[in-house]
Amino acid sequence: MTKVFDRFLKNPEEASCGCEGGCCGPPAAKPEGGQTEARPAPLTPADHAWIIGSVETAEGDVPLVATRLNRADRNGTLLARLSIKRMSHAVRPGLYGFGKPDAWSPVFVTGNYKMSFDYLRRSLDGRDGWILVLDTRGINVWCAAGKGTFGTDELVARMEAAGLARVVSHRTLILPQLGAPGVAAHEVAKRTKFRVVYGPIRAEDLPAFLDAGSKATPRMRRARFLFKDRIILTPVEIAMVIKSKTFLGILIAWALGLIGVKFLSFNLPVVLGAVFIGTVVVPALLPWIPVRAFSLKGWLLGFLWTAGFLALNGLPATAGGWLSAASYLLILPAFAAFIAMNFTGSSPITSLSGVVKEMKTAVPLMILSAGLGLGAFIAAAVVA
Amino acid sequence: MSLRYLENVVTLEYDRDKCTGCGKCAEVCPHAVFVMADERKAKMTDRDLCIECGACMRNCPFDAIKVRPGVGCAYALMMSALRHRPAPVCE
Ligand code: SF4
Ligand code: SF4
């Protein structure tokens, strides 16, 4: 069964989730890259509160956007963070201006995920420039670059559609560094005569980058995964578990146990604790758990938690009690390991090769452990 | 404290002979795997920090870097394995 993951080593692009953790597109329309038909009428303040006017260019009117976020922008960010309505926040691809842009103002490129767009314009408050929004189908730059939707072809097509070479007189584009997996700078230069400069990873570093003459410090170029960066991801992790069928099944079984289906009764708080470990504690303590594989991190903490809980209850007195304890120890650490393993996708430190290696060992062990645990659970009910 | 993942597993290869020292790989790598130590060639530092994003390979104009790009996401691998086909659709 470990073979099933090997095929992703040959065809990495076959790996695609159905998740809302950030990297999955909405029910995908075809990428629109390359369309050069009549441009749609420019957006106006009547379309979005964040559009505050327009600026005249050689290519017609270009919408001007605010560089301060309004309440609707912030609410949208909050909802996306809580994993609600994540995908309904897409910005129309195309060219926008901010401040008082002219033919010599810098051009920033981003994807059409509203949160990326918001962070970018907010960090440019007080300056003048252009923002070229690529059609990344509402997903963030990093994920889109991995899929190639934030890519050379889309960039070149979008520049042509916007007539960028006639709007600005200079020939420099500032791209987010995290877009680099999708874009070949030298190819863009060959095809458009525009030079691609990669800006810092985080939009908040843009002012310092620009003030230094478009030079990034090594710190600006490093992916960061601090405590706060990890914690902010945990609501999405929790939401993913809560929305899963497994979790629904657990709740139903527990409810049935409560209303008298005796053999289904189990301790819900200790199960929820295991979920909490996988979704929150492992991400929070990630660098300090002294093993490398994410699943092993989850298993270790899940085991400590479950064993601690059982120890508090003292030694079981009956055979049924022992079987039940065994079922907790076989199921819950494996469950926490499984949830923690899914955090690989949200972390910027894992490679495909590494995750495949981890899964080839961890997944069969999890299935075995959970299977034995269910067996023990049923046996405990039978004995009782 | 360590934010390191598994050792000795990534597919990154660097052919120093082909490098012209343009510096693009150091500009794009989010883990400083490539740095411009002396200005004439890129230097590959801690290979195990590589996450196989592929940015360096795509942006090297001289084909000096090879890596198999992919996404290190267990959930994506699992969902795709279960469906036995690529399924680029969100629920
Ligand atoms: S693949 Fe990405 S992480 Fe690895 S060396 Fe290249 S740029 Fe750095
Ligand atoms: S991008 Fe290629 S040629 Fe340029 S410094 Fe890096 S390895 Fe050398």
Side-chain angles (χ1 to χ4, degrees):
Chain A
M1 85 152 285
T2 59
K3 294 248 165 50
V4 298
F5 300 117
D6 277 337
R7 71 190 178 91
F8 299 117
L9 297 179
K10 285 194 207 87
N11 305 304
E13 68 287 349
E14 283 192 7
S16 170
C17 58
C19 73
E20 298 182 5
C23 254
C24 187
K30 277 263 189 211
E32 289 178 41
Q35 66 160 25
T36 39
E37 302 117 47
R39 231 171 282 154
L43 294 170
T44 69
D47 296 304
H48 298 292
W50 44 265
I51 293 182
I52 53 172
S54 68
V55 53
E56 250 184 73
T57 73
E59 289 286 307
D61 281 355
V62 169
L64 270 182
V65 301
T67 48
R68 306 232 165 119
L69 304 190
N70 60 31
R71 184 181 302 171
D73 297 327
R74 283 192 295 267
N75 287 348
T77 299
L78 185 68
L79 289 180
R81 283 287 181 209
L82 293 174
S83 178
I84 304 163
K85 287 182 39 179
R86 254 188 108 80
M87 294 309 167
S88 58
H89 296 277
V91 178
R92 188 208 276 179
L95 189 65
Y96 298 84
F98 61 90
K100 293 191 183 64
D102 64 25
W104 295 100
S105 303
V107 179
F108 301 86
V109 180
T110 188
N112 73 332
Y113 179 44
K114 179 74 165 27
M115 218 196 298
S116 314
F117 180 70
D118 284 353
Y119 283 156
L120 177 61
R121 60 196 172 97
R122 185 182 62 182
S123 70
L124 294 167
D125 188 32
R127 293 167 192 265
D128 310 314
W130 306 98
I131 298 178
L132 183 67
V133 176
L134 305 192
D135 181 7
T136 57
R137 292 179 255 170
I139 53 179
N140 68 59
V141 169
W142 169 250
C143 296
K147 290 176 194 295
T149 45
F150 189 97
T152 308
D153 290 343
E154 164 65 12
L155 173 59
V156 171
R158 202 53 67 185
M159 289 165 72
E160 272 164 17
L164 187 66
R166 287 171 298 280
V167 174
V168 296
S169 306
H170 64 78
R171 289 294 177 263
T172 304
L173 300 170
I174 301 176
L175 266 64
Q177 186 187 333
L178 290 186
V183 176
H186 52 283
E187 223 175 279
V188 175
K190 222 183 282 164
R191 286 164 64 177
T192 68
K193 305 281 176 286
F194 274 77
R195 187 172 68 103
V196 169
V197 174
Y198 290 104
I201 288 187
R202 289 165 292 275
E204 67 196 52
D205 288 330
L206 262 175
F209 170 85
L210 294 170
D211 291 344
S214 294
K215 289 255 172 326
T217 61
R219 190 191 56 78
M220 291 181 195
R221 295 240 173 269
R222 288 297 288 267
R224 192 185 71 180
F225 208 36
L226 305 178
F227 186 75
K228 62 175 179 189
D229 303 320
R230 303 193 299 268
I231 285 297
I232 205 162
L233 295 172
T234 58
V236 173
E237 303 295 317
I238 296 176
M240 272 182 62
V241 174
I242 289 181
K243 287 183 198 161
S244 72
K245 296 198 181 72
T246 313
F247 193 72
L248 184 68
I250 290 172
L251 286 186
I252 291 175
W254 179 71
L256 286 175
L258 267 195
I259 60 169
V261 186
K262 250 287 172 49
F263 89 95
L264 277 178
S265 62
F266 58 88
N267 185 295
L268 188 65
V270 69
V271 177
L272 295 182
V275 171
F276 186 72
I277 283 171
T279 53
V280 179
V281 182
V282 169
L285 302 182
L286 199 71
W288 299 291
I289 308 169
V291 285
R292 294 283 174 84
F294 283 41
S295 48
L296 196 51
K297 290 176 196 271
W299 187 89
L300 194 67
L301 297 194
F303 182 82
L304 291 176
W305 161 255
T306 313
F309 166 82
L310 291 172
L312 278 184
N313 285 346
L315 283 184
T318 62
W322 280 105
L323 280 170
S324 155
S327 73
Y328 281 102
L329 276 176
L330 285 165
I331 294 175
L332 294 185
F335 192 33
F338 177 81
I339 299 170
M341 189 177 75
N342 287 337
F343 195 62
T344 50
S346 306
S347 84
I349 64 166
T350 55
S351 59
L352 171 70
S353 300
V355 171
V356 167
K357 184 177 180 193
E358 163 166 2
M359 289 179 81
K360 285 169 75 168
T361 311
V363 172
L365 285 176
M366 285 171 193
I367 293 175
L368 182 71
S369 184
L372 287 174
L374 280 178
F377 184 76
I378 292 167
V382 171
V383 172
Chain B
M1 133 133 203
S2 142
L3 269 176
R4 303 179 66 90
Y5 194 45
L6 310 183
E7 305 286 319
N8 246 324
V9 62
V10 295
T11 51
L12 184 67
E13 304 290 344
Y14 168 47
D15 182 348
R16 197 168 180 278
D17 291 340
K18 289 189 182 166
C19 175
T20 65
C22 76
K24 216 61 184 173
C25 54
E27 186 177 328
V28 297
C29 180
H31 289 282
V33 174
F34 288 101
V35 294
M36 299 310 291
D38 62 83
E39 296 296 310
R40 316 221 334 253
K41 300 269 182 191
K43 181 165 173 255
M44 183 159 79
T45 58
D46 191 343
R47 189 166 168 272
D48 289 328
L49 289 181
C50 172
I51 59 172
E52 302 185 325
C53 71
C56 52
M57 174 173 72
R58 188 170 293 263
N59 282 278
C60 175
F62 303 96
D63 273 337
I65 303 172
K66 290 266 172 297
V67 61
R68 179 193 53 220
V71 182
C73 175
Y75 191 76
L77 296 182
M78 212 147 28
M79 296 316 282
S80 303
L82 285 175
R83 292 180 186 125
H84 275 287
R85 63 195 159 83
V89 175
C90 256
E91 277 116 36

